């Protein structure tokens, strides 16, 4: 057990290290774009825009995700709803976490996600397909996995990384458009200015790819960590293992999902299993490795 705790702590440190690298990369890209175009206001605007996006994502991301997913709060007046809520409540107590709100998605596929800016405002959403087709111990394993995301602040980290990826993509697009419209540095800089411009163009093309890969690396680390933490909560890892196996074999497609929310689910509904290249760009590790 001690080894597992050490691995969990190590995983947390690695993830925060990746986030620091992420921030450095974003600042470096913004600074280079501003220097190439001799435009300090671009740097100021980008930083203010990033701050605004992060504040908005921090306060309203949970409501946005729930709305997109078509989730509604669970009805504890029904026996099934009360049973699910009790599972969440009991696991929260054992983990020392506030009991999150529980939402239901009317969908025949088996999936679940967690959202919320912190444990006090956490939300867990489960599909009706998952509730009806998994055993109680397997549902408990899924809930523990999602509680682990809340307790480990994964929902906040995932939101920040998605915002940064979007910011870099936006800046790259602006950079390319400015190049097409002739907004480069003074021509008297000669060859050095041209070289710098070419470097900037290459960066504009490669930066979104690099930041997306970094976001995916962070996401995959968090999934491994949530699996391990969830197993610690239930003291019954077989429940989560069986649930993951059944979810991976589910042939039902989640109806209301898009690329902005897919990475939040316990199993990415937009992933293409069996294709190695696709796995490189997946937000989740392969089920067999998990």
């Amino acid at each position: 057990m001690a080894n597992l705790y050490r691995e969990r702590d190590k995983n947390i440190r690695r993830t925060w290290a990746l986030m620091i690298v992420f921030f450095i990369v974003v600042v470096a890209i913004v600074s280079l774009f501003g220097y190439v175009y001799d435009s300090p206001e671009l740097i100021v605007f980008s930083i203010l825009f990033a701050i605004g996006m992060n504040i908005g994502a921090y306060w309203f991301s949970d409501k946005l995700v729930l709305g997109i997913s078509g989730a509604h709060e669970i009805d504890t007046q029904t026996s099934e709803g009360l049973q699910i809520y009790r599972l969440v409540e009991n696991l929260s107590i054992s983990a020392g976490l506030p009991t999150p709100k529980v939402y239901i998605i009317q969908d025949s596929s088996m999936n679940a996600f967690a959202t919320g800016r912190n444990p006090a405002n956490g939300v867990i959403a489960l599909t009706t397909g998952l509730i009806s087709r998994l055993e109680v111990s397997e549902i408990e394993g899924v809930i523990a996995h999602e509680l682990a995301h809340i307790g480990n602040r994964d929902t906040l980290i995932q939101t920040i990384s998605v915002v940064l990826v979007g910011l870099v993509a936006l800046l790259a697009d602006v950079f390319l458009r400015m190049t097409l419209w002739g907004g480069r540095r003074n021509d008297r800089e000669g060859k050095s200015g041209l070289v710098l411009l070419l470097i900037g163009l290459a960066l504009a093309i490669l930066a979104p790819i690099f930041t997306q890969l970094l976001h995916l690396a962070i996401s995959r680390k968090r999934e491994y960590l949530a699996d391990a933490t969830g197993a610690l909560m239930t003291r019954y890892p077989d429940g989560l293992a069986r649930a993951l196996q059944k979810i991976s074999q589910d042939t039902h497609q989640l109806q209301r999902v898009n690329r902005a929310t897919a990475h939040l689910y316990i199993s990415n509904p937009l992933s293409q299993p069996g294709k190695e290249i696709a796995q490189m760009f997946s937000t989740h590790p392969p089920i067999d490795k998990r």
Side-chain angles (χ1 to χ4, degrees):
M1 187 67 70
N3 289 335
L4 186 53
Y5 278 115
R6 282 200 297 269
E7 285 301 313
R8 185 181 68 175
D9 292 340
K10 188 187 298 183
N11 210 347
I12 291 174
R13 290 194 298 270
R14 286 173 180 169
T15 301
W16 281 109
L18 280 171
M19 284 301 299
I20 292 171
V21 171
F22 212 146
F23 277 108
I24 292 173
V25 168
V26 172
V27 171
I29 290 171
V30 170
S31 300
L32 182 57
F33 285 175
Y35 179 74
V36 169
Y37 284 104
D38 197 18
S39 178
E41 62 271 15
L42 177 61
I43 300 176
V44 175
F45 169 78
S46 300
I47 293 174
L48 292 177
F49 187 69
I51 292 173
M53 286 183 69
N54 277 300
I55 291 174
Y58 180 84
W59 286 103
F60 304 112
S61 61
D62 54 343
K63 296 178 179 62
L64 181 61
V65 170
L66 291 169
I68 291 173
S69 306
H72 59 85
E73 197 159 1
I74 195 167
D75 183 6
T76 56
Q77 299 303 311
T78 65
S79 58
E80 183 180 72
L82 182 60
Q83 181 187 32
I84 296 298
Y85 182 81
R86 291 300 184 210
L87 285 176
V88 175
E89 185 178 48
N90 292 337
L91 284 169
S92 300
I93 292 172
S94 65
L97 293 171
T99 302
K101 292 181 179 178
V102 185
Y103 277 68
I104 299 298
I105 303 171
Q106 293 290 337
D107 198 290
S108 58
S109 67
M110 294 192 291
N111 226 317
F113 69 81
T115 186
R117 60 185 180 272
N118 53 39
N121 293 276
V123 177
I124 290 177
L126 308 169
T127 64
T128 51
L130 183 140
I131 293 172
S132 63
R133 292 156 58 198
L134 292 185
E135 298 174 9
V136 174
S137 63
E138 295 165 352
I139 297 174
E140 189 178 45
V142 171
I143 292 172
H145 172 97
E146 300 305 336
L147 273 174
H149 277 311
I150 294 173
N152 293 333
R153 302 298 199 280
D154 293 346
T155 51
L156 179 60
I157 292 173
Q158 288 170 342
T159 298
I160 292 173
S161 63
V162 169
V163 168
L164 291 175
V165 168
L167 175 62
V168 171
L170 177 63
L171 287 174
D173 183 63
V174 170
F175 188 98
L176 290 172
R177 290 178 184 275
M178 289 174 67
T179 301
L180 292 175
W181 288 96
R184 66 183 189 183
R185 288 176 69 86
N186 200 310
D187 290 336
R188 58 192 171 86
E189 293 188 8
K191 291 183 178 180
S192 62
L194 180 60
V195 170
L196 189 59
L197 181 61
L198 292 175
I199 293 174
L201 284 172
L203 186 62
I205 295 170
L206 297 176
I209 298 174
F210 176 77
T211 50
Q212 178 66 13
L213 290 174
L214 197 54
H215 161 61
L216 296 177
I218 292 172
S219 183
R220 285 192 288 265
K221 290 286 185 185
R222 306 314 290 187
E223 290 304 316
Y224 282 128
L225 179 57
D227 287 340
T229 308
L232 283 174
M233 284 186 196
T234 62
R235 299 296 194 273
Y236 185 63
D238 285 354
L240 177 57
R242 288 202 307 269
L244 288 173
Q245 188 175 36
K246 290 181 179 180
I247 291 171
S248 69
Q249 296 169 351
D250 185 20
T251 58
H252 296 79
Q253 295 295 317
L254 192 66
Q255 297 303 308
R256 297 184 62 170
V257 66
N258 58 42
R259 295 189 181 280
T261 60
H263 69 284
L264 295 174
Y265 287 86
I266 189 170
S267 177
N268 190 326
L270 299 180
S271 65
Q272 299 177 5
K275 298 181 180 180
E276 292 189 10
I277 295 179
Q279 289 297 337
M280 291 175 58
F281 294 90
S282 174
T283 55
H284 292 57
I287 292 294
D288 58 341
K289 291 186 178 181
R290 291 171 69 178

